[in-house]
Amino acid sequence: MAQVRNVAVIGAGIVGMACACYLKRDGHNVTVIDSLPPGEGCSKGNAGHISPGSCLPMAMPGVLRKVPGWLADPLGPVRIRWRYLPRAAPWLIRFAGMATREKAELAADALRALHAPVFEAYKPLIQHAGAEDLMLRSGQLYVYETKEGLEGDKTGWEMRRLRGLDVQELDAGAIRQLEPTLAPNFRYGIHLPEHGFCRNPQRLVQALAAQFIRDGGTVLRRTVTGFEIGTDGPRRLLTDDGEVTATDIVIAAGAWSHKLTAKLGDRLPLESQRGYHLEIAAPEVSPLTTVTWPERNVVATPMETGLRFAGTVEFAGLSAPPDYRRAHMLEDIGQQMFPGLASGGTSEWMGHRPTLPDTLPVIDRATRFSSVYYAFGHGHTGISGAPVTGRIIADLVAGRQPEIDISPFRSNRF
């Protein structure tokens, strides 16, 4: 039996709650601290992909050739607000340096190891929380209008196959058989039968948090502002509503995590890739699973609250107001995907995806303090990476060997 610790987890998103739940399963006293209620941050509005084979970094070979075209379109899949460019430039330069085949292969190995056990790692948490209905292993569908579009992604599909992923190519008829609501212009497809999705990521986090509290855990609505550091490291968290004592600290604060790690001596190149979604409450079409259109970088997910379209990236920092034109442009793309899609009754959302230049999260101890642990930077795959990250953090706190090699996720790699 591991020694019982008093652990403070900063962050009540899917990663933070997964860490808290696994720590609580080990018998520790665990307090989660966040300025927002559980699931109200980036975890609220993601596309819900549960992807054991999600292993491609964003910095793939050839991606830099696409960027000028994306930026030339004001409503394209990638936007940089020009006033923010001087702030984003160092991150973008690092990102560009990662876009080689050798580095992409190494990142893919690490991501595949982190994501492969996702369903197995979620199982005890969602069973205990009574949330099995939220997780569907229904496969994922990727569709292309043109042969050129599919060929452009050939390297990525080959990299997935090399890592053991079941990648099934489809013709137009097979696409229509799998998803009859799609427009007939999609002639080429890929089906990933081992994948699935979450029907409501926000409710998933809320269910985990509710069970965590029933198990004796504590959730505090506060903002952590700093740490009181003694001779044996940080033992008090300073917040906007008093101090919180802890023997161990887990920083899982998403896109704000680097502001806290800097106070502990670790300056990490974390950037917010702001994402948008548009959700149609009564769409009048009901896809059987998620549908991704890579040529437009858009994902459609049949949530329990409506049909959600997501898939844009914006660099504008943590404080700039949302530009909801980036959400509403997704409705036009949705109409192209699903001819029967109803209009109106929409809601929009913007959130901050915490992303490092190599697309890998940081899952490690702080470089200066062995009682502080980092669990952030999962980018576009937080819901897939969360449960294994939670198990790794619990292993580190207990002094156990993590189930996978975590050296690719070390905090001092930059």
Side-chain angles (χ1 to χ4, degrees), residues 32 73 94 96 112 130 137 149 155 164 203 208 218 234 246 253-254 279 286 288 336-338 343 374 378 386 398:
V32 175
D73 181 355
R94 286 179 183 264
R112 175 62 164 156
R137 197 161 188 170
T155 297
R203 187 159 76 84
L208 296 181
T218 301
E279 189 166 292
S286 183
L288 300 175
Q336 297 172 47
M337 295 176 72
F338 302 98
S343 60
Y374 297 159
H378 294 72

Side-chain angles (χ1 to χ4, degrees), residues 222-394:
R222 301 185 189 178
T223 299
V224 176
T225 57
F227 307 93
E228 184 178 304
I229 301 175
T231 55
D232 57 349
R235 289 293 181 264
R236 284 189 176 85
L237 290 80
L238 310 178
T239 81
D240 58 353
D241 190 20
E243 299 179 350
V244 177
T245 60
T247 58
D248 300 85
I249 298 168
V250 180
I251 297 179
W256 285 264
S257 296
H258 64 304
K259 294 180 178 293
L260 296 172
T261 68
K263 297 177 184 294
L264 301 173
D266 288 324
R267 299 189 178 276
L268 295 167
L270 188 70
E271 182 58 73
S272 167
Q273 289 199 354
R274 294 153 55 109
Y276 291 81
H277 86 221
L278 186 84
E279 189 166 292
I280 300 175
E284 297 186 8
V285 296
S286 183
L288 300 175
T289 187
T290 66
V291 181
T292 300
W293 186 3
E295 291 159 309
R296 299 299 300 270
N297 293 283
V298 169
V299 180
T301 305
M303 298 289 182
E304 64 179 9
T305 51
L307 185 56
R308 180 175 297 178
F309 294 92
T312 72
V313 169
E314 180 183 50
F315 291 90
L318 295 170
S319 58
D323 177 1
Y324 284 122
R325 293 179 304 164
R326 299 195 59 75
H328 287 282
M329 75 178 187
L330 297 170
E331 186 170 6
D332 292 336
I333 298 174
Q335 296 282 355
Q336 297 172 47
M337 295 176 72
F338 302 98
L341 183 67
S343 60
T346 61
S347 59
E348 67 275 332
W349 172 91
M350 187 277 287
H352 298 276
R353 304 184 190 101
T355 311
L356 292 142
D358 58 2
T359 312
L360 303 180
V362 172
I363 311 172
D364 195 8
R365 285 184 171 88
T367 56
R368 292 174 56 192
F369 304 108
S370 61
S371 62
V372 179
Y373 306 85
Y374 297 159
F376 58 83
H378 294 72
H380 296 238
T381 59
I383 195 169
S384 292
V388 178
T389 298
R391 293 202 304 201
I392 292 169
I393 293 298

Side-chain angles (χ1 to χ4, degrees), residues 181-199:
T181 61
L182 276 168
N185 51 303
F186 295 112
R187 301 170 56 199
Y188 308 92
I190 298 287
H191 186 232
L192 306 178
E194 301 169 327
H195 286 202
F197 71 102
C198 175
R199 298 173 59 236

